[in-house]
Amino acid sequence: MIRSLLRSTASRSFVCNYSSKAVPLTAETYSSKVSRNPSFKKLDETDIKHFQTILNDGNGLITDADDLLFYNEDWMRKYRGQSQLVLKPKSTEQVSSIIKYCNEQKLAVVPQGGNTGLVGGSNPVFDEIIISLSGLNKIRAFDEVSGILKCDAGLILENADNFLAEKGYIFPLDLGAKGSCHVGGNVATNAGGLRLLRYGSLHGSVLGLEAVLPDGTIYNSMESLRKDNTGYDLKQLFIGSEGTIGIITGVSILCPSRPQAFSVALLGVSSYEAVQKVFVGARKELSEILSAFEFMDRNSQVLAGQHLKLDHPIESDQYPFYILIETSGSNKEHDDEKLETFLANSMEEGLVDDGIIAQDETQLKSLWSWRESIPESSTMNGGVYKYDVSLPLKDLYGLVEAVNVKLQEAGIVGFDDPTKPVVEAIGYGHVGDGNLHLNVCVREYSKEIEKVLEPFVYEWIQSKNGSISAEHGLGFQKKNYIGYTKNDVEIKLMKELKKHYDPNGIMNPYKYI
Amino acid sequence: MSKLRILVPVKRVIDFAIKPRINKAGTGVEKKGVKFSINPFCDIALEESLRIREANKGLVEQIHAVSIGPTKAQDVLRTALAKGADSTTLIDVGEEEIEPLSVAKMLQKIVEKEKSNLIILGKQAIDDDANQTGQMLAGLLNWPQATNASKVEIEGDQVTVTREVDGGADTLSAKLPMIITTDLRLNEPRYASLPNVMKAKKKPLEKLKASDLQIELTNRLEILKVEEPPQRDAGVKVESVDELIAKLKELKAI
Ligand SMILES: Cc1cc2nc3c(=O)[nH]c(=O)nc-3n(C[C@H](O)[C@H](O)[C@H](O)COP(=O)(O)OP(=O)(O)OC[C@H]3O[C@@H](n4cnc5c(N)ncnc54)[C@H](O)[C@@H]3O)c2cc1C
């Protein structure tokens, strides 16, 4: 009894701080860049009737303006579409009938998962119909010997992981939005997340998919084996396709067994140099038990503290950089011994200035919250321009510094100055994967800010041979910038592919490529 | 004014964030492959003793943590050391569950050995929820006790404790030596800092057996059955107020 009482007081709910200001319409904000494709049909009554007969249940269609808002707006409150209709199919066959009809009628659609995407990919730009996968959310099968999970695309990531935890397995992906995002959405964006360092990318762990093509064809490779070299590996096309060539309806994924013991340490270090050195050391000394290595700069922690309404757990001082290290393995004593020795050495060498180690599950979760709540904290003052980039490790933080200089020069930034539109550019991310999250926290979205940032950020990344999207994808935000990372031949091949599968261009238009 | 020698008993229990399960035989809780941590109320007791030391320069001579449990209970003692306890004793009693009276008798011996004059301990452990050890120990030592503390203040030999009682607070004071049991809202325990974790490796960890203290372990109670709480039936989702009312009528709830 006391146990459950305790648990309920400790579970911290992350409150979404929606400001009341309406999100401007994407079509208006970007009117100079994009206009509605006139070849798409406008939704009418007969279409709605038709969808009603397909879905055959009163709750499958959403047409109420207030209810639509949730689906039209994105997580950052930066983009807002004008869809008049959300469809919530409950079976792959229903998805197929819907898409087939849309393709014939030239009705544009946006597939939507948990709507946590960060590049405006999951929301319509104009009046595209939203096809939400949230009604397709069942676990289909789990093989306790091989660890292969087969599920519907609309299954929420956290539900999948909780299910697996009961069986002693773990989902090979974890990210801050796990309570809302869908497994299908993760696959569609090829999400990387917090454990990529350990478990690799979805391109390796996804074994098979079920997907519906624009003409209604159901592609099914759910029965695939781990090793199967017969022909083109078609499922790879859908991983990271962001809803542009088909709708993923089922996922078969290989899940590793769940580590028995987790340990987490949070460290304060005084330079980005030190972050790199600790990383090199951690890889060497913690090797097989290292499961996450995340870094965060000072202001990301200041904002997280304001958002969580907590004092930072490292009390001795503020440090320019913080590192979160997670180890996971089968033997807690062995892991702790290794971790503590490594940390002690790093401290003696002067690389680490201070640090703390979680002693129980609750502390472990709280330490993670100082990393996981940064995305939410960064929007706290009004909004955020997010850039999620891959860069050579040595240049990683240089981008944040360069952007802050640029913002200073433009005279639009002030951490404590509410008259300036920009709060600060902060940096954090998966050092282990050479992946930086550059978040430009703003008090409001504006053309002026965007002009300072773009194409500056993309050019900077290009000059270091980085990628303009490490994880979040292209979506609407980066459609025009793919050229900074991909060459002409690559882009041509992609366009041909898109045309082949979606000749009418109805799948998630105005985005990606 | 006497210096404080604080004794903090700490128990190793299944981590409170983890849902315990009944073992296959139905005789107790499954302990294999489960994460154990320091009992949250013990953690609060330790935190309070550290805060007393920090708030009163020079007042505290020693903070000694003691754990009665299996060999693995060393882990919670290491945690105590890493958080700032000065020294520890493990009384290794193997895997057997020990009843509060035996625990209190062993603690009494440690109190004598360490010459403790303030004992801060959790009001209960979240595994057996007994809520007896502090009280029994007070009886054995014939010391004043303040249970369920939500605030502790020390002024010379006088200790003032605010207790949470139904619907309000109760403030009482007593002279040292005394016993305080801690409630949830007394404080929020700290993290173990890296420098302290390193220092802890060099701090003393004494190991004893019950027989070293001339205590014979006898349990008076026998566990007959351990049961899961009854399963709650899954809820139903309704889409509208009308449907809700219809459902409630159907279930004869209105
Ligand atoms: C707090 C937070 C933390 C995050 N952390 C990370 C991180 O660490 N790493 C990372 O990679 N990403 C991260 N993200 C972004 C990430 O892309 C998404 O969280 C997630 O992968 C998207 O899943 P979703 O179900 O919400 O998809 P949505 O946002 O609904 O959709 C994303 C895109 O996929 C398409 N799509 C969705 N479902 C399907 C489907 N079934 N079939 C076809 N297309 C589909 C949509 O059309 C859209 O283009 C984070 C987001 C948030 C809000």
Side-chain angles (χ1 to χ4, degrees), chain A residues 121-139:
Chain A
S122 51
N123 313 97
V125 178
F126 298 98
D127 56 347
E128 300 88 270
I129 296 169
I130 298 169
I131 301 180
S132 165
L133 276 294
S134 58
L136 250 148
N137 53 16
K138 304 247 168 356
I139 287 165

Side-chain angles (χ1 to χ4, degrees), chain A residues 2 333 340 355 359 363, chain B residues 35 72 79 129 190 194 201:
Chain A
I2 193 83
E333 263 162 56
E340 283 170 21
Q359 298 295 320
Q363 289 197 337
Chain B
K35 183 173 164 96
K72 282 243 173 208
T79 298
D129 283 347
R190 69 193 57 197
L194 201 44
K201 291 194 188 302

Side-chain angles (χ1 to χ4, degrees), chain A residues 134-151:
Chain A
S134 58
L136 250 148
N137 53 16
K138 304 247 168 356
I139 287 165
R140 296 188 187 177
F142 181 65
D143 182 332
E144 301 209 22
V145 177
S146 63
I148 297 174
L149 172 75
K150 292 177 185 167
C151 65

Side-chain angles (χ1 to χ4, degrees), chain A residues 25-46:
Chain A
L25 294 174
T26 310
E28 283 169 11
T29 319
Y30 297 95
S31 57
S32 60
K33 280 193 190 156
V34 56
S35 50
R36 188 180 184 281
N37 180 345
S39 71
F40 292 142
K41 182 186 169 187
K42 287 197 170 158
L43 186 73
D44 62 31
E45 271 308 309
T46 46

Side-chain angles (χ1 to χ4, degrees), chain A residues 165 229 391:
Chain A
N229 286 348
L391 282 167

